[in-house]
Amino acid sequence: MEQSLKVVITGASDGIGAALARHYAERGATLGLIARREDLLQALAASLAGTVAIYPVDVRDGAATASAAADFLSRFGRPDIVIANAGVSAGNLTGCSEDVETCQWIFDVNVIGMVKTFQPFLESMCADRRGVLVGIASVAGIRGLPGSGAYCASKAAAIAYLESLRVELRGSGVSVVTLCPGYVRTAMTAHNPYAMPFLLEADDAARRLARAIDQRRAYAVVPWQMGLVARLLRLLPRWMFDRAFANVKRKPRRTAVTR
Ligand code: NDP
């Protein structure tokens, strides 16, 4: 048990975030859990041993995210780990006017939401010269997949942002960990119409992601088999990538952003 560990997780009401919460609760951590669906956060908190503070907050709302962070800091002190995991995904097509809103939503949550999550904690982490900022990106950020331009671009942006932050904070005592999961069985992947190689259950993914966080990996793809795929994808010349991926099945589009 690591009694003193304090962990803040966004997107903790479901999927990978909830699995990370279960993982760290088993290790005796004090948790700050952020997501919009309060009922799910309450049910999760009730099922976990140890101290859990829940914050029904939308990470697009900078003021609400900052006030959740201030509450956690005042009650428990500086967190050891902040995991920006909240994310959304949907297909989009540039020619469809209604998909412009989808792109905005995906970028607001997946990229700007990450910045809004880290910002309120940075001062205390730098002052103590301790702490880990973890961004959940994706293998989808490595190449642009047809029909998923917004999601792939948001994850590529997250990877680049996290790299900038890591270098900015070099020597500060604060680590930045970029994590790229492959496929994980969650609500996000439930309706994917294509094969999902090396699919992980959420609890297994959380264990592997937490191991990479323990090791302060600057960048890790989970599982490692997907890491090999990611390397191959990166090496694939454009003409070969274009041919191989032109006709793959696509993520369903959302016709309206409801949440
Ligand atoms: P889920 O859809 O299962 O969970 C997403 C979580 O994000 C929920 O807790 C949701 O809670 C929260 N969330 C969504 N929008 C907001 C918002 N505006 N403010 C606060 N919280 C929000 O997805 P996963 O668990 O699969 O995904 C988690 C992360 O992992 C995402 O960043 C995703 O891109 C990434 N990822 C997932 C992969 C997979 O195969 N599943 C693969 C690679 C990366 P609520 O609705 O209550 O707000």
Side-chain angles (χ1 to χ4, degrees):
M1 295 282 267
E2 297 157 84
Q3 292 295 348
S4 60
L5 197 62
K6 286 171 264 179
V7 185
V8 173
I9 305 168
T10 69
S13 62
D14 205 359
I16 296 170
L20 283 165
R22 287 191 289 275
H23 173 88
Y24 283 108
E26 276 170 26
R27 288 167 57 171
T30 294
L31 295 175
L33 305 182
I34 298 175
R36 292 163 304 167
R37 286 170 292 174
E38 189 170 8
D39 52 337
L40 292 188
L41 287 177
Q42 271 168 351
L44 177 63
S47 73
L48 302 175
T51 308
V52 183
I54 61 165
Y55 302 100
V57 161
D58 187 325
V59 294
R60 290 172 293 182
D61 181 343
T65 306
S67 115
D71 181 81
F72 188 91
L73 286 164
S74 72
R75 287 166 67 186
F76 310 111
R78 173 192 51 76
D80 300 285
I81 305 172
V82 175
I83 308 177
N85 162 76
V88 291
S89 176
N92 74 288
L93 292 175
T94 300
C96 296
S97 60
E98 63 270 29
D99 285 7
V100 173
E101 196 194 346
T102 303
C103 295
Q104 181 79 53
W105 169 62
I106 290 175
F107 266 79
D108 283 348
V109 179
N110 296 5
V111 187
I112 313 299
M114 189 175 275
V115 181
K116 288 177 176 170
T117 298
F118 292 154
Q119 192 281 327
F121 292 108
L122 204 48
E123 191 181 322
S124 64
M125 285 186 165
C126 287
D128 286 356
R129 301 188 60 79
R130 290 182 76 86
V132 190
L133 298 172
V134 181
I136 304 295
S138 172
V139 166
I142 288 166
R143 298 293 298 247
L145 301 167
S148 290
Y151 184 70
C152 291
S154 76
K155 292 300 181 178
I159 291 169
Y161 160 67
L162 290 162
E163 182 154 275
S164 296
L165 189 61
R166 186 178 71 240
V167 183
E168 274 163 36
L169 293 175
R170 191 176 159 81
S172 72
V174 182
S175 311
V176 177
V177 173
T178 303
L179 296 176
C180 294
Y183 291 112
V184 182
R185 196 191 308 277
T186 66
M188 187 178 279
T189 50
H191 302 293
N192 282 354
Y194 39 79
M196 294 189 278
F198 311 117
L199 179 73
L200 295 178
E201 298 302 325
D203 288 314
D204 186 15
R207 262 192 307 276
R208 293 168 191 249
L209 294 167
R211 197 178 312 138
I213 297 169
D214 288 342
Q215 294 166 348
R216 307 284 189 271
R217 298 271 299 276
Y219 177 94
V221 177
V222 171
W224 64 266
Q225 293 92 330
M226 212 56 188
L228 295 182
V229 174
R231 277 182 194 204
L232 278 176
L233 274 176
R234 207 176 273 124
L235 291 173
L236 217 54
R238 283 189 189 87
W239 66 267
M240 212 185 271
F241 177 81
D242 293 3
R243 269 197 202 174
F245 283 86
N247 296 315
V248 293
K249 289 193 177 140
R250 296 173 181 201
K251 184 106 182 163
R253 294 168 50 232
R254 296 175 76 102
T255 44
V257 175
T258 51
R259 291 202 285 130

